Amino acid sequence: MPDTPLLDQVHFPADTRGFDIPQLRRLADELRAETIDAVSTTGGHLGAGLGVVELTVALHHVFETPKDILIWDVGHQCYPHKILTGRRDRIRTLRQPGGLSGFTKRSESEYDPFGAAHASTSISAALGFCAARDQKGESNKVVAVIGDGSMSAGMAYEAMNNAAETTKQLVVILNDNDMSIAPPVGGMSAYLAKQVSGGAYRNFRRFGKSVAEHLPRPFRNAARKAEEYARGMIVGGTFFEELGFYYVGPVDGHDMENLVPILKNAAAITDRPVIVHVVTQKGKGYAPAESSADKLHAVAKFDVVSGQQSKSISNAPSYTKVFGTELIKRAHLDPSIVAITAAMPSGTGLDLFGQAFPERTYDVGIAEQHAVTFAAGLAADGMKPVCAIYSTFLQRGYDQVVHDVAIQSLPVRFAMDRAGLVGADGATHAGSFDIGFMGALPGMVLMAAADEADLAAMIATSLEIDDRPSAFRYPRGDGVGVEIPELAAPLEIGKGRIVREGTTVAILSLGTRLQESLKAADALAARGVSATVADARFAKPLDADMILRLAREHECLITVEEGAMGGFGAFVLQLLAGKGALDAGLKIRTLCLPDVFQDQDNPVAMYATAGLNAEHIAAAALQALGVEATRAVRA
Ligand SMILES: Cc1ncc(C[n+]2csc(CCOP(=O)(O)OP(=O)(O)O)c2C)c(N)n1
Ligand SMILES: CC(=O)[C@@H](O)[C@H](O)COP(=O)(O)O
Ligand SMILES: [Mg+2]
């Protein structure tokens, strides 16, 4: 059936195993078109997937997946992989409640042997599979595909360092597109670039090609393959070979004719782990992506023809923009302020800061552990480092926060963006835990902004704290549209505020749940129940005087936070219990995120806020008071 699209005939990788190179090339073209069309209707990560279309086809053609293990690092590039592995019919449910995850996910398919989303985990996981197979006497291959950006994280080196002593079954595909989200940084990136552009590589390429072109056709391919090999030997990935790997490359990751035989040869190497250095282009094959600075790393829904994205317009600035703008204002006044990002300049708003203060901005790559201790070093030597790391990615550097910052009481300022639920990225990216893990640390000042004006004040407050660490959390997305002062005044540390006076119920909100808490008070008032609304502002130190007064003067206390169990509500309970404030029978409810991971399987909290809206707050108060909410409380 020559005109039937090959993609219609491929439901699983096994269907490609009889294909020849031209068919594989055609399949890749169709897969690229399908990926573009699908993502245009869902939004999501585009550039990375487009860059690995040929690689995806070749890997599934050469390796016997799912028996052979294929692990994608980060997993944001896995959409073509999902289309080829039995999920084409669901690819347009991507990143939606009940739909496919935007990353690889074990529960979704046997072709996803390991989940991802946080970078640089693939080689460690792959080594685990290798060791398990060695233990079981199984000889299947294990393949980890890791990007050049993800190779900047320490975890990748920990695994590379351990590989040659652990297994001979591992194939690492280094997907080098010379991009992270932003252009890559660091020595490894420079080393890889040298491998690809080095004189020996170019000469050999010319030499190899010139020989190949003068040979009769049947021998031409063999010579070309020899050239690829030769280049690997001459240019050599010395660094990787010193770690015990057989280095092959650099190889053109879009040239199916070379890619397939080289992967077959890599699969046949059994005396040591192999690393195949594949050179690809992020955004390959879609002009709007190829011409975009970030290669359309992440996109909203878009028009395929024009590439025009349909982004929602808001009249309030994003919290990220407020952070970037405020920090610039402060840095003009204080030359000791420096900023650190871990490969997320645009996501954190430090791209703006970097334009204003290039010499005072550090992008350390995907290296959160290093970012934190690097910031600690800066603080120890008198600078004011602002370490801007998403709440979820700060988890990667937590020991460094404890060991290098908090124990030494160094004044590192942590700007924790994407705190709380983040929507489509799901559980791996939700900033659910920072209240608990940062609030547990002695000496930490932990703030949560209720709106963008509060964020500006908390930045000012943090910059004034020179004797201990401080952190301020704020959500993904736009503010509420409140006025931001030209230069916000710092807050009094450990002081909350009463926003609305009432008598029976006290709603104690932390962070951006304040708006819903005020709506809940209105709903309660409509039911004849008077409510006070307080904004805690600090999860640490707590405003003990205010909280104890609320407990004394009200029949019922409700705490609300967009964070997991073991956070603000727990801290308040421990304060009240410690002071005997519960002995008099105070009715108390602590509202926090449900004790589940929020993702496509548990969409309850992916988009809503997990039972933390006005009707939930009001219903909790009525339930505590024993007033049956005869009908759902409409805020
Ligand atoms: C620990 C961690 N930090 C930051 C991120 C955010 N992030 C997602 S993809 C990416 C860039 C990855 O670059 P690379 O590995 O080269 O993959 P490419 O997008 O180029 O295919 C970053 C920084 C992350 N997913 N995990
Ligand atoms: C894949 C990855 O980890 C990043 O691209 C992340 O999805 C960015 O999140 P934001 O879209 O919230 O910046
Ligand atoms: Mg890359």
Side-chain angles (χ1 to χ4, degrees):
M1 299 171 280
D3 54 351
T4 309
L6 289 174
L7 194 58
D8 293 351
Q9 303 164 41
V10 173
H11 304 287
F12 291 98
D15 301 329
T16 73
R17 293 199 180 124
F19 284 9
D20 60 21
I21 297 295
Q23 285 173 309
L24 293 173
R25 257 201 230 106
R26 202 176 117 207
L27 175 63
D29 293 343
E30 293 170 5
L31 179 58
R32 179 170 276 111
E34 175 72 350
T35 303
I36 293 167
D37 183 68
V39 181
S40 76
T41 66
T42 62
H45 292 98
L46 183 62
L50 294 181
V52 296
V53 167
E54 285 80 11
L55 183 59
T56 302
V57 170
L59 283 168
H60 280 296
H61 174 75
V62 169
F63 291 94
E64 299 271 323
T65 53
K67 284 201 324 306
D68 286 343
I69 294 295
L70 174 57
I71 296 174
W72 295 92
D73 203 282
V74 182
H76 62 318
Q77 76 292 70
C78 73
Y79 303 175
H81 158 80
K82 292 200 173 189
I83 293 170
L84 276 192
T85 54
R87 287 167 278 181
R88 183 185 181 189
D89 59 330
R90 299 187 61 213
I91 199 67
R92 288 168 178 78
T93 67
L94 207 56
R95 296 159 48 96
Q96 295 150 49
L100 291 179
S101 166
F103 305 103
T104 48
K105 191 171 179 181
R106 283 174 51 82
S107 61
E108 217 173 84
S109 165
E110 62 180 329
Y111 289 89
D112 291 6
F114 204 74
H118 282 202
S120 320
T121 61
S122 60
I123 304 173
S124 297
L127 273 183
F129 277 87
C130 290
R133 274 143 206 251
D134 292 343
Q135 291 291 339
K136 295 185 286 183
E138 294 171 7
S139 59
N140 306 84
K141 278 296 180 186
V142 179
V143 181
V145 183
I146 184 168
D148 55 306
S150 299
M151 273 306 274
S152 60
M155 190 174 174
Y157 295 96
E158 292 168 22
M160 294 286 283
N161 182 54
N162 186 225
E165 291 164 7
T166 304
T167 186
K168 297 178 172 38
Q169 298 191 60
L170 176 64
V171 177
V172 173
I173 307 290
L174 173 52
N175 173 35
D176 181 3
N177 54 20
D178 197 24
M179 277 294 284
S180 182
I181 293 181
V185 296
M188 173 48 76
S189 167
Y191 174 77
L192 293 177
K194 206 160 71 246
Q195 299 298 309
V196 175
S197 57
Y201 167 54
R202 266 203 310 276
N203 296 343
F204 245 82
R205 189 156 187 75
R206 243 196 321 277
F207 170 73
K209 282 232 178 290
S210 63
V211 168
E213 269 140 27
H214 296 297
L215 288 172
R217 182 168 294 280
F219 299 100
R220 196 173 293 178
N221 291 344
R224 253 223 294 239
K225 278 175 226 141
E227 175 249 347
E228 293 280 0
Y229 256 123
R231 200 168 60 242
M233 248 71 92
I234 295 294
V235 170
T238 312
F239 170 76
F240 299 112
E241 296 195 331
E242 290 305 310
L243 290 174
F245 279 78
Y246 188 99
Y247 170 88
V248 177
V251 175
D252 180 345
H254 301 296
D255 179 349
M256 199 68 83
E257 192 169 3
N258 278 319
L259 198 52
V260 169
I262 283 174
L263 290 176
K264 282 180 177 165
N265 289 312
I269 293 170
T270 55
D271 65 333
R272 73 181 105 157
V274 184
I275 182 163
V276 184
H277 180 185
V278 176
V279 181
T280 62
Q281 184 188 353
K282 194 166 184 176
K284 173 83 175 176
Y286 185 53
E290 290 183 354
S291 58
S292 159
D294 72 349
K295 308 301 175 194
L296 297 188
H297 173 83
V299 291
K301 295 175 184 175
F302 62 92
D303 173 73
V304 172
V305 174
S306 65
Q308 187 61 44
Q309 297 182 49
S310 48
K311 288 184 176 173
S312 55
I313 308 289
S314 161
N315 57 13
S318 68
Y319 283 96
T320 303
K321 182 81 179 289
V322 170
F323 163 70
T325 309
E326 279 304 305
L327 196 62
I328 290 170
K329 281 186 208 169
R330 303 287 165 174
H332 278 299
L333 304 172
D334 182 342
S336 68
I337 292 172
V338 291
I340 300 112
T341 176
M344 305 288 283
S346 58
T348 57
L350 286 187
D351 52 348
L352 305 172
F353 188 89
Q355 286 154 21
F357 302 101
E359 302 311 312
R360 292 159 61 183
T361 309
Y362 298 92
D363 179 352
V364 298
I366 306 179
E368 287 81 4
Q369 296 167 317
H370 163 58
V372 173
T373 304
F374 173 60
L378 282 158
D381 204 14
M383 302 306 289
K384 288 189 177 180
V386 179
C387 199
I389 301 180
Y390 289 11
S391 166
T392 187
F393 299 139
L394 186 59
Q395 293 162 186
R396 180 67 66 85
Y398 186 55
D399 181 58
Q400 287 73 17
V401 174
V402 179
H403 179 266
D404 298 321
V405 176
I407 288 176
Q408 300 189 99
S409 195
L410 288 171
V412 173
R413 285 80 172 174
F414 293 98
M416 300 190 295
D417 198 339
R418 280 33 173 214
L421 295 177
V422 295
D425 272 344
T428 52
H429 283 59
S432 305
F433 309 109
D434 60 85
I435 301 171
F437 68 69
M438 295 295 266
L441 302 179
M444 178 65 72
V445 176
L446 175 57
M447 299 171 268
D451 54 41
E452 55 269 42
D454 236 17
L455 176 56
M458 289 175 179
I459 293 167
T461 308
S462 181
L463 290 170
E464 290 213 333
I465 299 171
D466 286 324
D467 60 350
R468 53 189 152 143
S470 54
F472 43 94
R473 75 187 313 249
Y474 47 101
R476 183 177 200 272
D478 299 328
V480 296
V482 297
E483 184 75 27
I484 301 174
E486 181 46 37
L487 211 55
L491 304 171
E492 187 182 346
I493 292 174
K495 285 292 169 213
R497 57 175 170 156
I498 302 295
V499 181
R500 172 180 170 144
E501 292 284 0
T503 55
T504 311
V505 175
I507 303 172
L508 177 57
S509 165
L510 179 77
T512 51
R513 291 292 91 203
L514 180 62
Q515 311 303 325
E516 291 297 317
S517 299
L518 289 166
K519 287 183 202 165
D522 291 338
L524 287 167
R527 302 288 298 273
V529 176
S530 166
T532 295
V533 178
D535 175 13
R537 285 182 149 160
F538 292 79
K540 188 161 201 173
L542 290 173
D543 184 342
D545 293 343
M546 179 183 80
I547 294 169
L548 291 167
R549 185 158 52 79
L550 291 173
R552 260 194 325 275
E553 297 172 0
H554 294 79
E555 197 183 328
C556 165
L557 175 67
I558 309 282
T559 68
V560 195
E561 65 195 292
E562 193 169 333
M565 293 171 70
F568 174 65
F571 301 158
V572 170
L573 272 174
Q574 283 179 284
L575 167 71
L576 294 173
K579 299 285 185 184
L582 299 178
D583 303 352
L586 172 71
K587 298 179 178 70
I588 184 164
R589 299 291 183 275
T590 55
L591 301 186
C592 64
L593 292 174
D595 190 23
V596 292
F597 287 105
Q598 293 86 39
D599 61 15
Q600 285 72 16
D601 296 341
N602 294 301
V604 65
M606 245 183 91
Y607 293 89
T609 37
L612 298 176
N613 289 324
E615 63 268 27
H616 305 105
I617 299 167
L622 292 172
Q623 188 273 336
L625 293 172
V627 175
E628 281 317 302
T630 44
R631 54 186 172 71
V633 176
R634 283 283 165 265

